[in-house]
Amino acid sequence: MASEEELFASVDALLEEEPQLPSPAERARLREAAGITQARLAAALKTTTQTVKNWENGRSEPKSPRLEAYQRLLNGWAAKHTAHRSAAAPAPAAAAQPAPETSSGPTVRETPSAQPPAEAPAVSAPGGAAPRRPATASRPPAAKKAAPAALDPRFPHGPLAVLDGEGSVYGVDGIVLDCPAATIVELVEWTLKESGLGAPKLHRYGKDSDPLIVLTASAAAKFGLPERLEDRRGLRLAEDHPVVEQVLKAKWELTQRGFGPWARIYRKAQGRDRQCVQLAILPWDALDSRSWPGVGEAEMEPADIARVLGVYAQRVITPRGSTAVSGLELMSALRPPTRPVRDEETGNWVSGHNAGSLGTLPVAPAPPEARPEHPVVVGSGWEGGFVNEEAYQWVRDVDLLTGEEAALPFVVGLDLNTAFLAAAARLMVGLSEPEHFVRPKFYPKVPGSWLVDLSHIELDARLPSPFTPTGERPAGPAWYQTHTVAYAQELGHNVEILEAYLRRETGAYLDPWHDRLKTAYVETLADLGVTKDLSDAEFLAAMEVHKQVDPAMAAVLAAIKGTVKGGIGKLFEGPQGKGYRDGEEWPAMKRPTWAPWIRNAVISKARVNMHRKLFNMAKMTGMFPLAVLSDCVVYPSPSRSPLDFLPYAESGKPIPGAFRLGCTPGLAKLEGVQGMAWAVDLMEQGYNPARHIKGDGHDAVLDGGE
């Protein structure tokens, strides 16, 4: 038999486990009975209105000292107002609300930005949560939405969050967590153990994405980080900085990038469990305004920054650095270099090459595919020239402008949507070591670098040459990528190969990269009211206002475009720093993804695609461009609309082969409109109208042109 003392002790323990506060619904009833608004209560308790809302809907619980003050207030109201609970407002079901804070996990709250205006367009929320609506503007035309990905139970709070100086961690879909960390080390440990942040791998042989914590200026200051980095070249804290020493003392490590705007703090993995946290420091310009326009503390609240980054993480990848870095990381995440294979001798599973990937070791380029400073060039004394596959930068000779063209009142710029991404579709590239061949037969489907003389090919001078970035006719033998040589054949010319560097192992390495980014691009445009079902006139109207529909989604769109362009650029990243000497290795070339021949293939195909459209436009309409800059072309026009000069069939449908308007990669959109006199003036001064047609017409003079 239990003694009376033991029984009373058990009863006291049960009493202590009872909630210290009435139910959430009763809290709201008592406040309303007292005639007090949530805002007034928040002011009295020195907190926010949203926090009071969270207390009253059961999403979070107050902590000391507000807990005691709130309890005292509720007890006072309860003494004045007899508890007659309204039958019309029952307490919300416990199963429908997040649990109050416990010692095993963080407090979950909800940010105000999770309840935007009902008329805004729906957005599929990252992390598999229910679709939510952006916080601005009117509703665009309805668009089909992809079903959100299933929520991974290991990462209930999504891939990333933004931390402010008060310890509030703003995640995706309006989630807010309370983070008690007072140091960077405590932040890392809290993130790995309690935050519930992270994202599942994108490929069965890949790795889960490490959680990302974005630090606001106030959070950075709280952890002892300076307002700005003194080392503007290295972009990292000094090794003797207290925060760096604190991290290393706790047996954590930093990558070779050190503690900079995108710091990675890790320990060696234990089994399959990774121990790594990515930090992004906003006051150190972690989010470049060119790739993330309007995404900064001056323009957005932390919850909105989390929304932008969260949508990007769901559709593309959890940011790992700049959009260029993320673009390169996405390639490896979708084509992991290794996979498990069984060792026939031991029967054990070991790491083996994943077919179709670039592997784990860097592959040296052929000499003509390298940079002049590359060791393979300097060490061999190579003097045979280099592949020069770059985007167009061409202006027609102003003397070739006809009187009929000059009499037209306008020039219209057309821009191809993510032209490099369109070129990456079904693109076969080399994946193994290059092999040298002398006078081989040309095979248009074999990726490689070919030495051939295309100088004999003469085309209309009102079009750029398809073989050079300047649009000028080649002067003699030169190195080209397969698509450029194949296009010469397509135009009806014989090609006689002098030398070639080819690879035996080939594959469509960029296919999954293209597919994921294309889907992300199209879905984000749809969120902005630009959908595939629009007519050309409706498309032009929607594009004119799409950035105002939802600035957050417009920022995601810009980041996606930056991911495409930057990711391709990273394939040929050069050495940096004044201390570099020709012939030395540099960090970028040691990556397996340093593959200039793949970049050559993308740009060659993109430039050929552009010329093919220019050529077909001339055949169909008799119109010739005034200038081309990468994926933008400028045409003379009788009006301000491209609808008046693009080729359409009698049925009203656009004719295939020429420029077509639309929202998918490779189709065109309106870049800008200016007067003919403006364009001629720039051409006479040697400037490229395609570079400036998007501006107000005066920027070419202000910035000195090209």
Side-chain angles (χ1 to χ4, degrees):
M1 285 289 292
S3 66
E4 181 179 345
E5 183 178 349
E6 290 173 333
L7 290 172
F8 274 81
S10 298
V11 170
D12 288 342
L14 289 175
L15 288 172
E16 290 176 359
E17 290 180 7
E18 288 182 355
Q20 300 183 40
L21 298 173
S23 68
E26 178 67 1
R27 302 170 200 174
R29 188 196 71 79
L30 291 172
R31 177 186 53 75
E32 292 169 355
I36 303 298
T37 64
Q38 290 177 329
R40 187 176 174 187
L41 174 56
L45 294 177
K46 302 296 189 290
T47 187
T48 65
T49 304
Q50 185 61 40
T51 298
V52 172
K53 290 180 180 179
N54 292 339
W55 295 345
E56 293 184 356
N57 61 27
R59 291 186 181 275
S60 67
E61 296 292 310
K63 298 178 182 179
S64 295
R66 290 189 180 91
L67 173 59
E68 292 75 16
Y70 191 32
Q71 183 183 32
R72 181 178 180 182
L73 180 61
L74 292 174
N75 289 341
W77 283 341
K80 292 182 180 180
H81 308 285
T82 306
H84 294 298
R85 187 181 298 266
S86 171
Q97 301 295 347
E101 181 184 7
T102 69
S103 60
S104 62
T107 298
V108 181
R109 297 183 268 128
E110 182 180 359
T111 180
S113 66
Q115 300 174 358
E119 67 271 15
V123 179
S124 296
R132 54 191 294 266
R133 298 182 180 276
T136 58
S138 59
R139 186 172 188 169
K144 281 189 176 181
K145 300 294 175 186
L151 180 67
D152 191 313
R154 296 172 300 157
F155 311 116
H157 298 144
L160 55 85
V162 181
L163 173 63
D164 67 16
E166 297 182 357
S168 293
V169 183
Y170 298 85
V172 299
D173 199 36
I175 289 175
V176 184
L177 312 176
D178 287 323
C179 175
T183 67
I184 288 293
V185 170
E186 291 177 359
L187 173 63
V188 170
E189 293 174 348
W190 175 87
T191 302
L192 291 174
K193 296 176 181 178
E194 300 185 48
S195 71
L197 295 173
K201 56 193 176 186
L202 298 179
H203 187 279
R204 60 182 297 194
Y205 300 139
K207 299 175 182 177
D208 294 334
S209 289
D210 300 316
L212 168 64
I213 298 291
V214 181
L215 301 185
T216 63
S218 59
K222 173 183 176 180
F223 294 128
L225 300 175
E227 292 184 12
R228 65 188 301 272
L229 287 174
E230 296 299 329
D231 181 3
R232 303 307 298 169
R233 179 172 296 172
L235 290 177
R236 64 182 66 194
L237 288 179
E239 293 183 3
D240 60 354
H241 190 278
V243 171
V244 176
E245 292 180 339
Q246 169 201 121
V247 169
L248 300 180
K249 184 178 180 180
K251 306 302 182 183
W252 290 95
E253 298 182 52
L254 295 166
T255 62
Q256 292 183 349
R257 287 193 290 181
F259 203 116
W262 289 89
R264 293 180 71 81
I265 302 175
Y266 71 98
R267 283 178 181 154
K268 291 183 179 179
Q270 297 179 348
R272 295 184 177 181
D273 295 330
R274 290 173 59 82
Q275 297 185 89
C276 183
V277 173
Q278 176 83 65
L279 301 181
I281 321 272
L282 290 182
W284 296 356
D285 300 323
L287 300 180
D288 189 317
S289 60
R290 292 169 296 182
S291 298
W292 299 96
V295 185
E297 291 187 79
E299 303 91 354
M300 287 188 177
E301 294 296 324
D304 297 315
I305 296 175
R307 177 184 170 227
V308 171
L309 297 179
V311 173
Y312 178 89
Q314 180 221 354
R315 295 180 180 177
V316 182
I317 193 173
T318 303
R320 311 275 184 91
S322 66
T323 51
V325 169
S326 296
L328 197 66
E329 292 278 354
L330 181 63
M331 294 179 194
S332 297
L334 294 169
R335 290 280 196 191
T338 62
R339 67 181 181 91
V341 296
R342 188 180 293 277
D343 188 316
E344 295 183 1
E345 295 183 2
T346 65
N348 297 328
W349 288 97
V350 296
S351 180
H353 175 63
N354 183 27
S357 76
L358 288 174
T360 58
L361 298 176
V363 174
E369 297 167 344
R371 307 178 73 96
E373 61 269 30
H374 194 284
V376 77
V377 175
V378 176
S380 65
W382 173 263
E383 296 181 352
F386 300 94
V387 177
N388 186 29
E389 298 288 10
E390 298 293 343
Y392 269 132
Q393 187 169 322
W394 170 83
V395 180
R396 196 206 301 185
D397 187 335
V398 72
D399 293 335
L400 296 178
L401 188 67
T402 66
E404 184 179 355
E405 289 175 321
L408 294 173
F410 298 103
V411 292
V412 172
L414 294 176
D415 181 78
L416 296 182
N417 302 321
T418 55
F420 289 172
L421 184 61
R426 315 299 174 252
L427 177 67
M428 297 296 291
V429 298
L431 300 175
S432 57
E433 297 279 351
E435 297 183 33
H436 184 230
F437 297 86
V438 177
R439 294 194 174 277
K441 181 180 178 180
F442 176 67
Y443 295 94
K445 293 187 178 181
V446 175
S449 301
W450 312 80
L451 180 63
V452 59
D453 189 350
L454 302 178
S455 61
H456 63 284
I457 299 178
E458 185 173 358
L459 299 172
D460 194 308
R462 292 172 293 177
L463 289 174
S465 167
F467 311 125
T468 64
T470 62
E472 297 178 358
R473 186 172 173 177
W479 289 94
Y480 302 96
Q481 200 276 336
T482 298
H483 285 87
T484 304
V485 184
Y487 189 57
Q489 274 194 341
E490 182 182 322
L491 293 174
H493 301 280
N494 293 325
V495 293
E496 187 173 334
I497 306 299
L498 304 176
E499 295 181 58
Y501 283 93
L502 310 176
R503 290 171 168 80
R504 294 188 182 275
E505 184 183 347
T506 63
Y509 173 72
L510 293 175
D511 255 14
W513 186 82
H514 162 271
D515 294 348
R516 186 167 178 85
L517 285 169
K518 176 183 177 180
T519 300
Y521 181 82
V522 172
E523 284 185 354
T524 307
L525 266 179
D527 289 335
L528 295 168
V530 185
T531 57
K532 295 180 180 180
D533 57 349
L534 299 178
S535 68
D536 283 1
E538 291 170 335
F539 168 75
L540 291 173
M543 286 298 296
E544 191 172 348
V545 299
H546 77 285
K547 292 182 180 180
Q548 288 74 50
V549 169
D550 186 348
M553 289 301 99
V556 174
L557 186 69
I560 293 170
K561 291 190 285 187
T563 302
V564 173
K565 185 175 180 180
I568 296 299
K570 279 284 185 180
L571 294 170
F572 197 30
E573 185 177 3
Q576 300 176 3
K578 292 184 178 180
Y580 176 78
R581 297 290 181 270
D582 287 356
E584 296 177 349
E585 293 186 338
W586 63 90
M589 62 165 283
K590 297 179 183 179
R591 295 189 308 247
T593 49
W594 195 81
W597 59 93
I598 296 180
R599 177 183 180 273
N600 291 341
V602 172
I603 297 180
S604 167
K605 185 178 175 183
R607 198 182 65 246
V608 164
N609 286 347
M610 171 65 83
H611 191 277
R612 188 179 289 112
K613 294 179 188 298
L614 298 172
F615 188 71
N616 288 337
M617 276 286 291
K619 288 194 301 182
M620 294 177 188
T621 68
M623 298 186 66
F624 292 85
L626 300 182
V628 184
L629 182 70
S630 187
D631 47 11
C632 178
V633 56
V634 174
Y635 275 103
S637 174
S639 75
R640 302 180 64 88
S641 174
L643 299 177
D644 290 333
F645 66 82
L646 290 177
Y648 290 88
E650 292 184 3
S651 63
K653 294 184 178 181
I655 300 178
F659 293 99
R660 297 173 55 190
L661 299 176
C663 63
T664 56
L667 298 186
K669 61 180 180 292
L670 179 64
E671 180 74 357
V673 181
Q674 300 290 347
M676 174 61 75
W678 170 89
V680 172
D681 183 51
L682 287 185
M683 294 167 68
E684 290 177 340
Q685 296 181 62
Y687 298 146
N688 191 328
R691 182 182 296 278
H692 309 287
I693 196 164
K694 194 174 184 178
D696 60 6
H698 303 290
D699 60 338
V701 177
L702 293 176
D703 67 11
E706 299 174 67

